[in-house]
Amino acid sequence: MRLELSARPPFSLHQVIHSHGWPQLAPFLWDRASGELRRVERLATGRVVELRFDPTPEGVAVEVDTPLAPAEQAELEAKVDWMLGLGQDFSAFYAATRHEPKLAQAEALARGRVLRSSTLFEDVLKTIATTNTTWGGTIRMIDALVRLYGEPLPADPTRRAFPTPERLAAVDADSLRAEVKLGYRAPYVQGLAQAVASGSLDLEALRGSELSTPELRQRLLAIKGVGGYAAAHLLVILGRYDYVPVDSWARSLVAKEWHDGRRVGETEVNAAFEGWGEWRGLAYWCWDWAD
DNA sequence: GGTAGACCTGGACGC
DNA sequence: GCGTCCAGGTCTACC
């Protein structure tokens, strides 16, 4: 079946998909040949379905590989809305960027939205898997997590949904370390899964939370394995842009842009975007880098 | 509050 | 083929 959803303009499915590396992480699948984004998703009823995303003039069309009950369809529409940020409003950001040549194209290109997973649990776990490793390592870790613990797609059991907190909570940290190669992150992931599965941590409540950004950041920093960089990255995913996610890549970009390639630290990266106030993280994200 | 060292993996490099 | 070094953020202990 096919779902058609409209987005607040300007909207570009291409820009959302290519906003960062998430399409390369299972259970997303970026089909380079067809230029199509796919994802395996587990619904609340326990059914596992495949989604294919295609652009439409009003927003996005989602092809689902099987008919859905009305409740399943409503659930899926809400998930797609969240993943693509269909209702997000960047008009204030665009207004603030018109005087900055390096951001002047942001509105015309419909930049600002960041591809999200369907749950914050998945995005926190993926973000932890990006820290202190190479991108190739992140891809391997997430691929192994999905392959070993995700529920299979009936039409193609080689493809699986992202594992639920309950499933990962039932796996001991030693197995995560040995089989998923999570290394020292294994107890962090296991602890996070247990906290979410037991209900002691309601991660999903942070989506749309009315907490101030510093309070939200403190909630994220309280998660083992989430430090300054990871918290700032997750805040961007949550639609809060007060902090720049400073990692080695950000330092490299800022070094080339403003310091003739000389090594810079967190202080210089933050200083580069200090003037953007509540839009710091988005200005960094959308900057038209020289390199 | 700031800092040093440990954590873990995989890739690059030298032998 | 083997050993060593290094990069990548976060945590913990210590000052």
Side-chain angles (χ1 to χ4, degrees):
Chain A
M1 71 179 297
R2 178 181 174 93
L3 309 176
E4 296 208 3
L5 290 87
S6 58
R8 180 192 291 266
F11 175 80
S12 161
L13 181 61
H14 177 86
Q15 282 293 335
V16 183
I17 291 173
H18 297 289
S19 55
H20 60 150
W22 260 211
Q24 298 174 44
L25 298 181
F28 281 116
L29 175 66
W30 168 245
D31 186 337
R32 196 180 293 271
S34 66
E36 188 178 57
L37 179 69
R38 303 188 208 170
R39 177 181 167 87
V40 178
E41 185 69 32
R42 182 187 186 279
L43 301 175
T45 54
R47 293 179 72 195
V48 178
V49 299
E50 185 189 35
L51 317 178
R52 293 170 180 245
F53 299 81
D54 288 308
T56 66
E58 290 75 32
V60 63
V62 182
E63 291 282 356
V64 189
D65 64 340
T66 183
L68 299 175
E72 292 174 324
Q73 182 176 330
E75 177 191 350
L76 203 51
E77 286 179 356
K79 284 183 167 177
V80 171
D81 186 9
W82 170 256
M83 286 191 277
L84 302 180
L86 296 179
Q88 284 189 284
D89 179 7
F90 296 98
S91 54
F93 172 63
Y94 295 148
T97 61
R98 286 190 186 115
H99 67 282
E100 171 52 64
K102 290 284 190 172
L103 292 169
Q105 288 297 304
E107 183 172 15
L109 296 175
R111 299 192 69 184
R113 292 177 175 87
V114 174
L115 182 65
R116 301 153 161 163
S117 303
S118 61
T119 65
L120 192 56
F121 171 70
E122 183 179 330
D123 276 337
V124 171
L125 209 153
K126 285 178 170 173
T127 301
I128 290 174
T130 66
T131 58
N132 207 24
T133 187
T134 59
W135 180 243
T138 302
I139 292 175
R140 274 191 296 277
M141 283 184 245
I142 298 303
D143 185 66
L145 264 183
V146 171
R147 178 166 39 80
L148 293 169
Y149 307 116
E151 292 191 32
L153 179 69
D156 178 3
T158 64
R159 300 191 55 214
R160 293 168 179 267
F162 196 80
T164 63
E166 292 75 15
R167 179 69 186 95
L168 290 182
V171 182
D172 63 82
D174 287 342
S175 298
L176 292 174
R177 191 190 303 263
E179 296 173 15
V180 186
K181 305 288 186 191
L182 282 172
Y184 67 90
R185 304 168 196 80
Y188 302 160
V189 169
Q190 213 277 340
L192 176 66
Q194 277 196 341
V196 173
S198 69
S200 64
L201 174 61
D202 187 0
L203 264 187
E204 305 311 319
L206 299 183
R207 297 194 279 159
S209 163
E210 293 188 359
L211 288 173
S212 70
T213 304
E215 287 173 321
L216 208 45
R217 180 170 178 268
Q218 285 307 315
R219 297 287 181 94
L220 294 168
L221 288 172
I223 299 169
K224 281 273 197 295
V226 175
Y229 158 75
H233 180 259
L234 288 164
L235 284 171
V236 170
I237 283 177
L238 287 167
R240 307 290 186 98
Y241 309 106
D242 308 54
Y243 298 88
V244 178
V246 183
D247 59 359
S248 57
W249 183 243
R251 292 196 295 273
S252 165
L253 290 172
V254 169
K256 289 172 186 164
E257 187 83 6
W258 289 293
H259 298 274
D260 294 326
R262 292 189 303 276
R263 290 171 70 92
V264 301
E266 187 170 354
T267 304
E268 288 84 355
V269 176
N270 284 323
F273 292 96
E274 185 59 34
W276 289 95
E278 64 179 310
W279 302 114
R280 290 182 193 96
L282 205 51
Y284 161 74
W285 210 276
C286 298
W287 199 258
D288 182 15
W289 298 98
D291 184 7

